[in-house]
Amino acid sequence: MTESNNPRCGYVAIVGRPNVGKSTLLNHILGQKLAITSRKPQTTRHNMLGIKTEGEVQAVYVDTPGLHKNNEKALNRYMNKTASAALKDVDVVIFVVDRNRWTDEDQLVLERVQYVQGPVILAINKTDRLDDKADLMPHLAWLQEQLPNAEVVPISAQQGHNLDTLERLVAERLPEGEHFFPEDQITDRSSRFLAAELVREKIMRQLGAELPYQITVEIEEFKQEGRILHIHALILVERDGQKKIIIGDGGERIKRIGQEARKDMEVLFDSKVMLNLWVKVKGGWSDDERALRSLGYNDQ
């Protein structure tokens, strides 16, 4: 992957506005589903490490929440702080942008990335959907002016297009040094955390436009008994109306959420899973700093 035979290792932040394809990119690089994805902005709420070791190169990817302008609630402030912190201590930054759409939130990320001292790679996502690549040129030229030292790579996170080039550029820019993690480890997150995230993903995908953002998932039990993994998950909402939406008519929706989450969990944990879901109303959790900390929203 690189000229040197010495081990290389370092942290790589994947940044960008909400819903630009950061988690999809991480999953494709790792070759398995780790970060949850949906079409809703703000699906990712925590920094999560995805670790890829190939030969002498270990790249530790940090999937960050999208930076966004809404700073009203404690949850939004937490997500912005988390994303900004990731830029401080990394060896390489991948700034993911859309092929032909630029928003105020992209601008917000650009303003943070311009201060980054180390190498920046500009990943132009969804380029497979462009009929005429020439349409990209003015946008590219403008981006190069903003980030003159950045390396530009057109990619498709969804299709996995050109990710080998992206990974090669990352590997060449990582510092030489011993690996931080065992070669078979793929994340720093616990199995309980990953289980909670999978349930949250299914809720986000099921509810679409009806989705209240004030939803979080807490794992109350995670226990392997023989060949079966027993998982009890509590879905917290802020209002009774939200509880009704998640349960659905005759419990149909929560049943579907459970079935889909269980399928993914069985693949991820390589075990038969018994999953029980409950919904509970806990008013105001998303704007209560103490409640956020108790639910695992800690500054890392």
Side-chain angles (χ1 to χ4, degrees):
M1 229 167 161
T2 60
E3 296 300 304
S4 158
N5 289 323
N6 296 332
R8 285 174 179 269
C9 185
Y11 286 90
V12 184
I14 303 176
V15 299
R17 67 167 158 79
N19 216 22
V20 76
K22 299 181 296 296
S23 297
T24 304
L25 174 61
L26 177 68
N27 288 339
H28 251 292
I29 287 172
L30 296 177
Q32 65 173 291
K33 183 186 178 73
L34 190 63
I36 68 168
T37 60
S38 84
R39 293 185 173 204
K40 302 289 290 184
Q42 302 176 31
T43 302
T44 301
R45 289 182 181 169
H46 305 264
N47 283 352
M48 176 162 70
L49 299 187
I51 304 155
K52 181 159 184 183
T53 309
E54 222 164 46
E56 292 299 310
V57 178
Q58 184 172 84
V60 184
Y61 292 92
V62 188
D63 181 29
T64 62
L67 280 163
H68 51 92
K69 299 202 100 164
N70 174 3
N71 228 0
E72 289 161 25
K73 290 209 163 188
L75 178 61
N76 299 99
R77 290 194 296 275
Y78 162 83
M79 283 156 63
N80 273 346
K81 209 160 141 191
T82 303
S84 298
L87 286 171
K88 290 193 184 111
D89 306 311
V90 294
D91 301 290
V92 181
V93 171
I94 299 174
F95 178 15
V96 184
V97 301
D98 202 313
R99 66 205 183 285
N100 55 7
R101 195 170 150 241
W102 188 259
T103 68
D104 289 352
E105 289 173 328
D106 289 299
Q107 191 63 34
L108 184 69
V109 186
L110 173 65
E111 284 158 18
R112 309 271 167 100
V113 171
Q114 282 171 327
Y115 289 105
V116 169
Q117 299 296 310
V120 174
I121 299 169
L122 197 53
I124 317 282
N125 196 16
K126 305 177 188 172
T127 46
D128 55 319
R129 297 187 200 165
L130 274 181
D131 295 330
D132 185 357
K133 298 286 188 269
D135 294 347
L136 193 58
M137 298 327 278
H139 187 42
L140 270 187
W142 180 80
L143 280 167
Q144 286 268 235
E145 274 173 40
Q146 310 309 306
L147 293 166
N149 298 323
E151 186 86 42
V152 178
V153 193
I155 63 161
S156 164
Q158 191 81 51
Q159 305 302 326
H161 168 69
N162 216 19
L163 298 193
D164 49 347
T165 304
L166 179 64
E167 289 189 71
R168 181 176 52 73
L169 291 171
V170 166
E172 286 166 358
R173 285 155 181 73
L174 291 177
E176 289 191 0
E178 295 305 315
H179 294 176
F180 302 142
F181 297 95
E183 67 177 68
D184 57 352
Q185 188 173 339
I186 61 153
T187 186
D188 63 327
R189 289 295 190 168
S190 69
S191 298
R192 291 176 89 102
F193 171 86
L194 297 173
E197 287 286 89
L198 283 175
V199 173
R200 198 164 63 80
E201 175 188 71
K202 302 313 171 197
I203 296 168
M204 296 190 90
R205 291 187 163 197
Q206 284 282 329
L207 293 185
E210 302 165 75
L211 175 81
Y213 279 120
Q214 298 83 8
I215 283 179
T216 195
V217 179
E218 215 176 335
I219 300 297
E220 296 202 307
E221 183 177 289
F222 191 98
K223 201 165 64 190
Q224 187 85 41
E225 284 181 352
R227 294 166 64 180
I228 297 175
L229 181 57
H230 294 268
I231 300 174
H232 293 188
L234 183 63
I235 300 164
L236 288 177
V237 295
E238 297 211 323
R239 293 193 297 280
D240 278 327
Q242 297 167 347
K243 180 175 177 175
K244 289 191 181 90
I245 289 171
I246 288 178
I247 290 170
D249 291 341
E252 250 332 282
R253 183 172 270 149
I254 195 163
K255 188 174 160 192
R256 213 159 54 230
I257 289 165
Q259 286 167 342
E260 292 184 11
R262 186 176 53 77
K263 270 189 223 154
D264 277 4
M265 286 175 185
E266 292 190 334
V267 172
L268 185 61
F269 302 129
D270 195 18
S271 175
K272 180 118 180 70
V273 170
M274 285 285 290
L275 174 63
N276 288 306
L277 300 178
W278 285 272
V279 188
K280 182 178 165 187
V281 179
K282 181 174 181 165
W285 74 264
S286 68
D287 201 24
D288 176 343
E289 305 274 357
R290 216 170 65 207
L292 283 171
R293 279 196 297 279
S294 76
L295 290 166
Y297 292 86
N298 305 314
D299 291 324
Q300 292 196 318

